[in-house]
Amino acid sequence: MRPRSIERAMLLGAPLLPSTDEHAASAEDLAACRELLRKGSKSFFAASLLLPKRVRVPMLPIYAFCRVADDVVDQASEPGAVEALTARLAAAYEGRPHDSPVDRAFSDVAREHELPRVVMEGLIEGFSWDAEGRRYETLSDLHAYCARVASTVGVIMSVLMGVRDPQALARACDLGVAMQLTNIARDVGEDARNGRVYLPLAWLEEAEIDVGKWLSRPVFSAALGAVVERLLCHASVLYARADLGIKMLPRDCRASIRAASLIYSDIGRVVEQKGFDSVTSRAYVPLARKLLLLVRALVSPTPRPSLAIEACGGPLDLAPLPEVRFLVDAAARPSRKREGERA
């Protein structure tokens, strides 16, 4: 997520607007958010076209704000960037956004859909963990990272769909963690060459891999492959859990989420075909295969529960991961609108 320099100049450091409704986002503001997405993430932009308009349109400002936030944290040369960004987020929620198209559009969407602020704060925290090069000792620690940079997105999408059921939110969080773990398994070599490691350090120690020595010369080994395989096995359980939540989504949203699940989990299949070697080369799903999976999702958007259970060899534990519970609790609370309707 990297805005061009002119966009960066436009979006950062703008003054706050007074708290008044007359500064609602314009059509031009929404168009700027759409262009930011189109240029910044062609894959995500294409996938968004499968969503109904009522979800796709409000998604654009949220993506744009997240992209700008990531850039602010990643490129910050001064301390206090996260604090300033959190204050900027608060201003948007209070109806006095920074004078930029992204902030105005995001402010409208976040308040209209009652998107919990803690979800966005969690995402910003995840960006800050990336910027500081944090490493993760245990799988639970890695879950906490995935919750912030990926499960937050699942919760955001659920809220935009109008889904507030705790079980559905927990399954959306499962999908976010599974997709992020897949990314990590795919990018082991690329991350290492950038001096980063996301695999659980305890797992690497068990495999007798000296992280410092390995980072100085990243090469594939059978021991490393076993760690990658272990991570993908865990991700497969979470994909199966997530599949059970697709039926809880509105019918017009199921195919898009199913397609995302199929395509991302297929990256793991490609890594497996390469003998779990994601150091020598980077796995990718060919376009023809993506189209095939897309058709599969359109034809059968709701997986059969029995298949998900069989894929994991037995009954699934469907309790939310402890590391994502704060997101589920935040989004599952009844909205002010529904409370007013009951009163």
Side-chain angles (χ1 to χ4, degrees):
M1 298 194 293
R2 299 288 179 268
R4 294 182 176 183
S5 57
I6 189 171
E7 292 166 339
R8 180 175 170 81
M10 175 180 68
L11 298 173
L12 304 184
L16 294 177
L17 294 172
S19 180
T20 170
D21 290 337
E22 68 180 2
H23 291 289
S26 65
E28 290 77 12
D29 292 339
L30 291 174
C33 293
R34 184 179 298 107
E35 185 66 5
L36 201 60
L37 171 58
R38 187 184 69 82
K39 291 181 178 179
S41 178
K42 291 182 174 60
S43 296
F44 193 72
F45 179 76
S48 73
L49 298 178
L50 294 176
L51 291 167
K53 185 177 181 180
R54 63 185 174 82
V55 178
R56 183 174 67 251
V57 172
M59 179 201 70
L60 296 174
I62 295 176
Y63 171 87
F65 189 90
C66 292
R67 182 177 174 209
V68 171
D70 186 27
D71 185 67
V72 169
V73 174
D74 190 54
Q75 299 186 22
S77 57
E78 300 290 336
V82 173
E83 290 77 6
L85 189 56
T86 301
R88 178 174 173 174
L89 180 71
Y93 271 93
E94 292 162 6
R96 47 187 189 89
H98 280 217
D99 189 11
S100 85
V102 167
D103 289 64
R104 283 192 296 271
F106 172 78
S107 178
D108 282 0
V109 168
R111 290 181 294 143
E112 170 64 24
H113 291 268
E114 298 181 6
L115 178 65
R117 190 190 301 185
V118 68
V119 176
M120 296 299 299
E121 290 173 342
L123 186 62
I124 290 172
E125 185 177 31
F127 292 157
S128 72
W129 289 6
D130 259 338
E132 68 187 45
R134 183 177 295 205
R135 296 177 184 177
Y136 305 97
E137 183 67 27
T138 66
L139 180 62
S140 177
D141 295 336
L142 188 57
H143 280 170
Y145 166 70
C146 295
R148 285 157 176 79
V149 299
S151 292
T152 48
V153 178
V155 170
I156 289 167
M157 297 300 296
S158 298
V159 168
L160 294 183
M161 293 175 191
V163 175
R164 298 276 186 166
D165 178 79
Q167 280 295 322
L169 292 167
R171 303 290 75 79
C173 288
D174 286 340
L175 182 57
V177 174
M179 293 170 73
Q180 188 64 29
L181 293 179
T182 302
N183 278 340
I184 290 169
R186 177 195 61 191
D187 295 339
V188 170
E190 182 178 330
D191 288 334
R193 287 184 282 273
N194 288 320
R196 296 189 174 190
V197 57
Y198 289 92
L199 297 171
L201 300 180
W203 290 12
L204 293 172
E205 183 178 353
E206 289 174 19
E208 299 183 345
I209 296 173
D210 185 308
V211 174
K213 291 181 179 178
W214 180 73
L215 284 176
S216 66
R217 185 173 176 268
V219 294
F220 177 72
S221 66
L224 182 65
V227 173
V228 173
E229 180 180 12
R230 184 178 177 184
L231 192 68
L232 287 173
C233 284
H234 179 62
S236 70
V237 174
L238 294 175
Y239 279 118
R241 283 167 44 123
D243 278 350
L244 299 179
I246 293 179
K247 66 181 179 181
M248 304 177 194
L249 304 177
R251 290 185 181 275
D252 57 357
C253 298
R254 294 176 186 175
S256 175
I257 303 307
R258 178 62 170 157
S261 177
L262 287 172
I263 291 171
Y264 260 82
S265 61
D266 208 56
I267 295 172
R269 179 190 62 82
V270 176
V271 173
E272 181 179 3
Q273 285 184 333
K274 293 176 174 289
F276 301 102
D277 179 3
S278 51
V279 178
T280 305
S281 62
R282 190 174 188 263
Y284 71 95
V285 178
L287 177 59
R289 174 70 176 175
K290 287 181 180 178
L291 293 175
L292 178 64
L293 295 173
L294 178 58
V295 171
R296 179 179 166 188
L298 291 170
V299 172
S300 181
T302 307
R304 295 208 311 270
S306 59
L307 293 180
I309 293 172
E310 289 171 10
C312 293
L316 293 169
D317 176 9
L318 297 180
L321 294 173
E323 298 82 7
V324 308
R325 190 176 289 277
F326 78 102
L327 298 172
V328 174
D329 290 344
R333 291 171 185 152
S335 70
R336 293 188 300 275
K337 290 179 181 178
R338 289 198 294 273
E339 288 174 340
E341 289 168 359
R342 288 196 295 267

